[in-house]
C-alpha cells in the first residue's frame, strides 16, 4: 500500500487522459548524436508519443551528420524519411553540421557546446508557453559510443544550468525543461527482443509501481490533459517491429545485415525505459 501511494504522488494513474503522452502542454525533443539513432534506439518512444498526440509536438534534433565514413550528406537526407516512418513530422527534424560535432569513435564533444546547441534549438522551436521534455542517451550511451555519452553530458549540463536560473543563479528566460535518459541495460537483456517487454514490465513494477506502466499503454483518447507533474520514469512498449524496420530501412546507407539483425532482436525495438536526469 505504501508503494502504491508513493507511485501515485509521482504520477497519477489514469490509462485514458491524465498522462504525459496526452498532455498537449509539453513539447518533446529527441536529442540524438547520429542519423539512425532514433530508429535503432528510440523507436518505441517516438511511435508512442506521435500516436497519442499531435506529431507536431515532437522534434528530433541530431547533433551530427554521421560523417565518419564520408556519408554525412547522404545520411542527413535519410533522417526525415526515417522519422516519418515512426510517425514524426519531417518538418520537425533538424540535423546539425558543425565542426564541434564530428562523428567518430575517438571524438568526444564538449558538453558545454552540446548544451548550447540544444538550448539554441529548443528555445527557437518550442511552442510559446509549452514545457519542454528532452529525451536522450544515458551516461553509458546504450552502445558506449563516445558521441552518445557526450550528448548525455551536454544535456545534463544544460538541465543543471536551467535549474540554476530558476533559483536566480544562472541564465534566465526560455521554457521550463525536464530531461530523461534512455536506460542502458546489460548485454544479456539487450538482445532478447520482444521478451524484454515482460522483463521490462516486471522491472517497472519493482522499481516504480504498476502505475508507471499503466499510464504509457496505448490509450483511446487524444484529448488534452491539464498540466501536471511528470513521473520520474517513463516506459514505452511496442510489440510490432515493422515501423522500426521501415525507419531503419530509410537509412539505406546504414541498413547492412547486422543492423537488420539488431532491429529484429534488440530490446530497443520493443521497449524504452527512461529515467529523469536530476
Amino acid at each position: 500500500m505504501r508503494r502504491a501511494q508513493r507511485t501515485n504522488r509521482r504520477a497519477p494513474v489514469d490509462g485514458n487522459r491524465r498522462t504525459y503522452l496526452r498532455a498537449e502542454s509539453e513539447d518533446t525533443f529527441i536529442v540524438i548524436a547520429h542519423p539512425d539513432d532514433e530508429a535503432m534506439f528510440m523507436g518505441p518512444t517516438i511511435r508512442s508519443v506521435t500516436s497519442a498526440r499531435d506529431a507536431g509536438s515532437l522534434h528530433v534534433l541530431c547533433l551530427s551528420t554521421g560523417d565518419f565514413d564520408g556519408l554525412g550528406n547522404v545520411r542527413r537526407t535519410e533522417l526525415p524519411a526515417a522519422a516519418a516512418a515512426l510517425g514524426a513530422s519531417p518538418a520537425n527534424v533538424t540535423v546539425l553540421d558543425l565542426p564541434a560535432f564530428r562523428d567518430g569513435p575517438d571524438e568526444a564533444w564538449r558538453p558545454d557546446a552540446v548544451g548550447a546547441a540544444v538550448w539554441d534549438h529548443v528555445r527557437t522551436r518550442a511552442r510559446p508557453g509549452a514545457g519542454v521534455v528532452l529525451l536522450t542517451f544515458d551516461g553509458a550511451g546504450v552502445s558506449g559510443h563516445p558521441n552518445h555519452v557526450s550528448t548525455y553530458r551536454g544535456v545534463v549540463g544544460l538541465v543543471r544550468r536551467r535549474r540554476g536560473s530558476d533559483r536566480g543563479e544562472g541564465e534566465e528566460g526560455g521554457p521550463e525543461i525536464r530531461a530523461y535518459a534512455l536506460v542502458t541495460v546489460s548485454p544479456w537483456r539487450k538482445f532478447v527482443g520482444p521478451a524484454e517487454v515482460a522483463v521490462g514490465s516486471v522491472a517497472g513494477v519493482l522499481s516504480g509501481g504498476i502505475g508507471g506502466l499503466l499510464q504509457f499503454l496505448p490509450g483511446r483518447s487524444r484529448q488534452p490533459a491539464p498540466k501536471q507533474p511528470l513521473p520520474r520514469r517513463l516506459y514505452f512498449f511496442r510489440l510490432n517491429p515493422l515501423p522500426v524496420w521501415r525507419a531503419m530501412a530509410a537509412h539505406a546507407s546504414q541498413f547492412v545485415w547486422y543492423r537488420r539483425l539488431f532491429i529484429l532482436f534488440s530490446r530497443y525495438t520493443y521497449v524504452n525505459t527512461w529515467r529523469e536526469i536530476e
Side-chain angles (χ1 to χ4, degrees), residues 111 114 139 148-158:
V114 171
H148 297 181
V149 176
S150 296
T151 302
Y152 164 75
R153 291 174 177 169
V155 171
V156 169
L158 171 61

Side-chain angles (χ1 to χ4, degrees), residues 21 51 57 74 106 122 144 149-150 157 160 203 239 244 272:
L21 287 180
S51 65
S57 67
V74 174
D106 299 319
V122 165
V149 176
S150 296
R160 290 176 178 170
L239 290 176
V244 175
N272 284 162

Side-chain angles (χ1 to χ4, degrees), residues 17-18 22-25 221-227:
R17 293 188 302 168
R18 297 184 64 193
R22 295 168 187 84
E24 298 294 341
S25 59
S221 172
R222 296 194 180 196
Q223 299 179 33
K227 191 171 183 179

Side-chain angles (χ1 to χ4, degrees), residues 44 102 115 211 240:
R102 294 273 74 92
N240 180 9

